[in-house]
Amino acid sequence: MFALFSAAALAAAQIAPVPQVTPPPVAGQGLGFVTGRTLFDRCTEDSPVSVSYCFAYIAAVYDSVRAYEIWLNIREFCPVTVLAQSDLRDVFIDYARKRPADLRGQGATIVLASFKLRYPCSVPLTQDVPQVEIRPPEQQK
């Protein structure tokens, strides 16, 4: 299970731990608005509404985690310096296809697990979090 921002974990570690990437299953309703299955379905549909929903959701997870990383001076995942939103979507879809049982979990947790697995960190937690440029879909051509 992810210990995203545990003070004890931050104090004990100098390097970001290797994540346990299997999110907990959803035990009924109430763990969030979107399950991994719902997000995966939206991200693999062809409709413009679903594509926009997918990009917006994944970008929001990315931005939220980055904000907490800066605020708490930690690293959850360490991507290359230039990413497109489609790269982030592809990382999530690839993870979901390889681990369909995980899709029972909260959508945001699975997105973060996919980022942590694809972009592991090997730098001390106290180093500055680099700024990563994210290009919106319309600028990716």
Side-chain angles (χ1 to χ4, degrees):
M1 190 160 143
F2 291 113
L4 285 181
F5 309 114
S6 163
L10 291 174
Q14 291 299 314
I15 303 289
V18 175
Q20 177 183 347
V21 294
T22 304
V26 174
Q29 303 291 328
L31 289 180
F33 294 106
V34 178
T35 66
R37 169 57 57 193
T38 301
L39 182 60
F40 178 78
D41 290 345
R42 296 297 293 265
C43 288
T44 55
E45 290 175 4
D46 289 332
S47 79
V49 171
S50 289
V51 170
S52 294
Y53 180 94
C54 175
F55 280 129
Y57 189 96
I58 290 174
V61 171
Y62 180 94
D63 287 349
S64 297
V65 172
R66 282 296 183 218
Y68 277 100
E69 286 180 328
I70 293 165
W71 182 46
L72 296 173
N73 196 30
I74 63 169
R75 307 287 302 270
E76 287 293 331
F77 57 94
C78 299
V80 296
T81 57
V82 177
L83 289 172
Q85 285 182 322
S86 61
D87 296 333
L88 299 176
R89 176 188 165 273
D90 292 347
V91 166
F92 166 72
I93 289 173
D94 182 58
Y95 178 93
R97 285 187 173 141
K98 291 177 180 173
R99 296 166 184 79
D102 290 357
L103 295 177
R104 297 173 303 177
Q106 182 186 31
T109 300
I110 297 165
V111 170
L112 180 55
S114 71
F115 293 169
K116 289 178 77 129
L117 188 64
R118 179 69 57 93
Y119 306 115
C121 295
S122 60
V123 297
L125 292 173
T126 56
Q127 284 191 356
D128 290 336
V129 176
Q131 295 299 314
V132 177
E133 176 187 345
I134 301 293
R135 295 187 315 260
E138 63 273 3
Q139 295 178 0
Q140 294 174 16
K141 297 177 182 172

